[in-house]
């Protein structure tokens, strides 16, 4: 995999984290394709960027107001022409949960966007939330 591919993926997560820090759901959602399939940590299936933006606007106005998203990219792997599989762990600070995401990033030549995203909370052995 080219370094530029991994750098592009890291930039997507950086832009999501910046949108989160600002409490700006539109900025957060810009990392996602218009037709993204997004599974939340609660197992809700969101279809499309507009649904991701609306859901995060509620989070930023409520329980996650004033929080930060701290991402760590764990794996970036090319899986086909213009497609990248990504594993990332994030922590919501202060005091929020750690989550693990598996995402598929597509590059259509005009930029990279997340086309599929499955998010879950990370649990320690024994079932305790980290």
């Amino acid at each position: 995999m080219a370094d530029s591919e991994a750098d592009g993926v890291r930039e997507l997560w950086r832009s999501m984290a910046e949108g989160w820090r600002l409490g700006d759901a539109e900025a957060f959602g810009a990392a996602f394709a218009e037709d993204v399939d997004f599974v939340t940590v609660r197992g809700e299936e969101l279809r499309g960027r507009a649904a991701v933006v609306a859901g995060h606007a509620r989070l930023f106005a409520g329980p996650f107001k004033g929080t930060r998203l701290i991402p760590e990219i764990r794996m970036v792997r090319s899986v086909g022409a213009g497609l990248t599989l990504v594993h990332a762990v994030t922590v919501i600070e202060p005091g929020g949960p750690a989550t693990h995401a598996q995402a598929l990033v597509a590059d259509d030549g005009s930029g990279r966007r997340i086309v599929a995203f499955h998010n879950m909370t990370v649990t320690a052995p024994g079932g305790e939330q980290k």
Side-chain angles (χ1 to χ4, degrees):
M1 172 195 354
D3 286 340
S4 64
E5 186 175 3
D7 290 344
V9 164
R10 286 182 183 85
E11 177 57 25
L12 275 178
W13 264 259
R14 189 212 57 75
S15 70
M16 280 193 295
E18 180 64 7
W20 188 293
R21 184 188 69 76
L22 296 170
D24 184 336
E26 289 287 341
F28 176 84
F32 298 92
E34 285 292 330
D35 61 349
V36 66
D37 290 307
F38 188 111
V39 179
T40 72
V41 295
R42 294 174 305 282
E44 299 162 313
E45 296 178 12
L46 306 179
R47 301 280 187 246
R49 182 188 301 160
V52 172
V53 168
H56 283 81
R58 287 188 296 275
L59 291 174
F60 297 157
F64 293 116
K65 184 175 184 170
T67 61
R68 294 181 312 135
L69 185 71
I70 311 298
E72 177 189 338
I73 303 297
R74 296 268 178 100
M75 184 195 77
V76 177
R77 180 170 63 103
S78 179
V79 293
L83 295 174
T84 307
L85 181 64
V86 180
H87 287 194
V89 172
T90 59
V91 175
I92 298 170
E93 292 184 347
T99 64
H100 184 276
Q102 178 170 295
L104 185 62
V105 175
D107 186 345
D108 64 5
S110 64
R112 291 179 177 85
R113 295 287 180 268
I114 299 167
V115 296
F117 192 86
H118 191 129
N119 206 14
M120 67 194 88
T121 52
V122 176
T123 56
E128 294 179 24
Q129 189 178 42
K130 286 186 177 180

